[in-house]
Amino acid sequence: MLAVTPDEMKMIDKTAINQFGIPGIVLMENAALGVVREVAGILGEIPGKKAIVLAGKGNNGGDAFAVARHLFNMGAHVDVYALAKLDDIKGDAKINLDILLKMGIEVNEVLESQHIDGIEERLKFSDIVVDGLLGTGLKGEVTGVMAGVIDAVNRSCVPVVAVDIPSGVDGETGKVSTACIKARTTVTFAFPKIGQLVHPGCEYVGKLEIVDIGIPKAAVRENEIKKYLIDSGLVSKLIPKREPNSNKGTYGKVLVVAGSRGMTGAACLTGSAALRAGAGLVYMAAPLSLLPIYACSLVEALTIPLEDGNKGYITGESIHKILMQLEKVDVAAVGPGLSTEDDIKEVVHSIVKNSKVPIVLDADGINVLAEDLSVLKELKTQMVITPHPGEMARLLGATVKEVQEDRINIARSFSKEYGVITVLKGSRTIIASPEGEIYINTTGNAGMATGGSGDVLTGIIASFIGQGLKPLDAAVVGVYLHGTCGDNVARRKGEHGLIAGDLVREIPKVIFETDGSRG
């Protein structure tokens, strides 16, 4: 599903109105009906229920006026408050305002702070609030009377249905004003907005409902948008199908170059995740002195002993053997638990420079890469790089705060500059391609903030590349399934005790439930 900025949504609206002849008032009516359906779903029976409708002077206010009309006609007691002079309301919003007034529905102007007292009194007896104060194009702080009204609504604890976006959330960046509506549900129109999907904006949205308001698909195609929300429909189409007449070679050979003394678990998690996600064969390239651990812990994998001089980490002497193995596999997962010893930099750089099969680079592979990013200019294949915010900060010489405040642009810029697919992990993982495509993932939870979780993701992505998916598609599938595994486990066990091994064990079930080929 596409995800759009406010400006992109405006262009889509204009295309629908100007090129396809759909009146704006029709789109507004369809939007209002979508909000009314959600209100009805929350309240159940509408007759006799008490609703407060808050409207600004723009199109969001027009949507809210139309919602008030429908709720009134359905038998609700509706109090309508406009945070603007009624004479300042223009266009389609004025049409819906005038209809309310002709129906005898009072619309109260709220222009001074003392007017907030009346709203606070009505909130004591209300069942629902409809927030149509501000739209997706908000920039800067909400102040004055409007801030006071928002604070009063939030203090009341009355459930709020936000029209398109909670008032106070920046629809492009997700930044929030000091005064910001905390919605129970947000009903957004046509497509989710970027600010609703990323932090901190997503924390104010509540349940996000996306309503079709009748915009033609052709109007969307003309605007060439490259940002997407990852959902089950997209992922189910991408999951590779298993053919009856096939064998282990059909589903990919994955080489895992990972692990060192004290961090053998990272490689085991990566290898087991690759197998659980469907890889036909997994080769564990491991330090010779640690080989018994891998052989016992992951009996389904093949082990490749790498000379380590009993140091417990891969040394430069093993590079030739690794490069020879790369010629026999379909993908390489490199980095989990490798350590940052001097030899590891040489090993990782040699893989990056020489591999002709796709690489999934994570953890210590990223850490040694951060010392010299120029090696990426010698990359001969596609690479998926999976940094968490701290690793991304090291790659850029930035702070974690700087990364977290601009995750989409950070990931997009890095992918474009270095020609790699960037999976910027964390809550609301961002995937960026060198061509400027952006994917936003909303699965996952705080319980996944545990050691080894990223190693599992590396294995899943590598597995799907091995099974024939393009690296970008494999990243999309991988992050969605990884997060869904975490959500499933958290629903059964809670978040506190979730461990990485739980994610691995959940992979087959999640693939089975998501796979669109099962009919």
Side-chain angles (χ1 to χ4, degrees):
M1 176 182 292
L2 289 178
V4 299
T5 66
D7 286 343
E8 287 168 341
M9 192 66 235
K10 286 179 183 178
M11 291 302 299
I12 292 170
D13 283 340
K14 286 181 179 179
T15 302
I17 293 167
N18 297 331
Q19 294 188 29
F20 291 85
I22 301 175
I25 194 70
V26 171
L27 298 177
M28 186 174 285
E29 187 70 5
N30 291 342
L33 289 170
V35 176
V36 170
R37 284 193 296 271
E38 188 59 32
V39 170
I42 293 172
L43 295 181
E45 295 294 326
I46 295 293
K49 295 295 174 64
K50 298 178 176 63
I52 289 178
V53 176
L54 304 173
K57 68 177 182 179
N59 282 342
N60 254 52
D63 297 333
F65 292 140
V67 170
R69 165 168 41 91
H70 287 292
L71 293 178
F72 179 83
N73 285 338
M74 295 168 73
H77 299 288
V78 183
D79 291 302
V80 185
Y81 298 92
L83 273 78
K85 293 182 179 180
L86 299 189
D87 290 343
D88 290 341
I89 296 172
K90 308 296 182 184
D92 293 335
K94 177 173 171 55
I95 292 173
N96 275 309
L97 169 62
D98 290 343
I99 293 172
L100 283 185
L101 297 175
K102 290 174 183 177
M103 291 171 64
I105 300 173
E106 184 179 4
V107 178
N108 304 281
E109 290 184 343
V110 180
L111 304 175
E112 299 178 7
S113 57
Q114 57 263 36
H115 295 159
I116 299 174
D117 295 339
I119 295 176
E120 287 183 318
E121 187 63 28
R122 299 303 295 176
L123 282 166
K124 295 176 183 177
F125 307 100
S126 295
D127 299 297
I128 199 90
V129 173
V130 176
D131 163 34
L133 292 173
L134 295 167
T136 59
L138 170 73
K139 300 293 181 186
E141 283 290 312
V142 180
T143 59
V145 175
M146 189 170 291
V149 170
I150 289 172
D151 288 340
V153 170
N154 287 341
R155 287 196 310 271
S156 75
C157 296
V158 177
V160 178
V161 175
V163 177
D164 208 15
I165 196 165
S167 295
V169 174
D170 185 316
E172 182 170 357
T173 67
K175 293 180 180 178
V176 298
S177 170
T178 303
C180 184
I181 285 288
K182 190 85 171 179
R184 170 173 170 171
T185 300
T186 296
V187 181
T188 199
F189 310 129
F191 305 103
K193 314 308 180 291
I194 298 298
Q196 299 164 341
L197 303 177
V198 299
H199 291 283
C202 63
E203 301 166 37
Y204 291 77
V205 166
K207 183 178 72 170
L208 182 62
E209 291 291 333
I210 302 162
V211 172
D212 180 1
I213 59 173
I215 291 176
K217 291 181 179 179
V220 179
R221 287 194 294 269
E222 288 197 12
N223 288 278
E224 298 183 355
I225 295 166
K226 293 184 177 181
K227 292 179 289 296
Y228 305 89
L229 168 65
I230 304 174
D231 58 19
S232 61
L234 171 61
V235 173
S236 68
K237 294 175 184 176
L238 292 174
I239 292 176
K241 313 311 175 192
R242 308 291 280 200
E243 299 296 337
N245 187 20
S246 59
N247 57 65
K248 59 191 176 185
T250 307
Y251 301 109
K253 300 174 183 177
V254 178
L255 176 65
V256 178
V257 183
S260 60
R261 184 171 293 140
M263 292 187 286
T264 53
C268 290
L269 286 167
T270 299
S272 59
L275 286 164
R276 287 295 188 183
L281 289 166
V282 171
Y283 298 87
M284 304 294 294
L288 178 60
S289 65
L290 306 177
L291 207 63
I293 297 174
Y294 297 104
C296 294
S297 300
L298 199 56
V299 297
E300 299 88 353
L302 302 168
T303 54
I304 300 172
L306 300 178
E307 185 56 53
D308 66 341
N310 205 36
K311 295 177 180 179
Y313 60 85
I314 299 171
T315 64
E317 297 173 7
S318 297
I319 290 174
H320 178 70
K321 193 169 187 179
I322 294 171
L323 296 183
M324 290 289 289
Q325 191 64 34
L326 281 170
E327 296 178 2
K328 304 174 184 178
V329 298
D330 301 296
V331 60
V334 181
L338 271 181
S339 84
T340 54
E341 299 289 343
D342 290 342
D343 285 36
I344 298 302
K345 180 177 180 180
E346 184 183 359
V347 170
V348 171
H349 281 211
S350 294
I351 294 172
V352 171
K353 291 177 182 179
N354 294 286
S355 179
K356 296 178 182 178
V357 299
I359 303 167
V360 183
L361 192 71
D362 186 30
D364 286 331
I366 294 173
N367 290 330
V368 298
L369 189 70
E371 299 174 21
D372 182 10
L373 285 171
S374 66
V375 69
L376 290 177
K377 300 300 183 180
E378 300 182 57
L379 188 65
K380 298 179 177 64
T381 184
Q382 289 185 288
M383 176 185 285
V384 179
I385 188 168
T386 62
H388 59 56
E391 291 163 345
M392 193 79 236
R394 284 193 285 277
L395 286 170
L396 298 174
T399 66
V400 172
K401 183 174 183 290
E402 288 169 336
V403 170
Q404 292 294 74
E405 287 180 346
D406 198 15
R407 286 168 59 82
I408 290 176
N409 287 325
I410 288 285
R412 179 163 44 202
S413 296
F414 190 86
S415 288
K416 183 177 180 181
E417 182 173 356
Y418 293 104
V420 299
I421 296 160
T422 302
V423 177
L424 180 51
K425 296 184 293 194
S427 180
R428 305 299 166 110
T429 292
I430 303 298
I431 302 172
S433 77
E435 292 73 34
E437 295 164 288
I438 293 292
Y439 291 83
I440 303 172
N441 185 56
T442 60
T443 63
N445 59 79
M448 298 172 71
T450 182
S453 181
D455 305 322
V456 174
L457 176 61
T458 297
I460 297 173
I461 295 173
S463 181
F464 282 111
I465 295 174
Q467 293 173 64
L469 288 190
K470 297 176 182 177
L472 178 60
D473 290 341
V476 168
V477 171
V479 298
Y480 179 87
L481 295 179
H482 181 250
T484 304
C485 287
D487 290 339
N488 284 3
V489 173
R491 276 192 291 271
R492 296 196 305 270
K493 299 181 178 180
E495 295 181 359
H496 287 78
L498 192 159
I499 60 174
D502 295 330
L503 303 177
V504 174
R505 288 183 284 274
E506 195 71 16
I507 293 169
K509 180 175 184 290
V510 170
I511 293 175
F512 179 76
E513 292 174 345
T514 309
D515 183 4
S517 68
R518 295 193 302 110

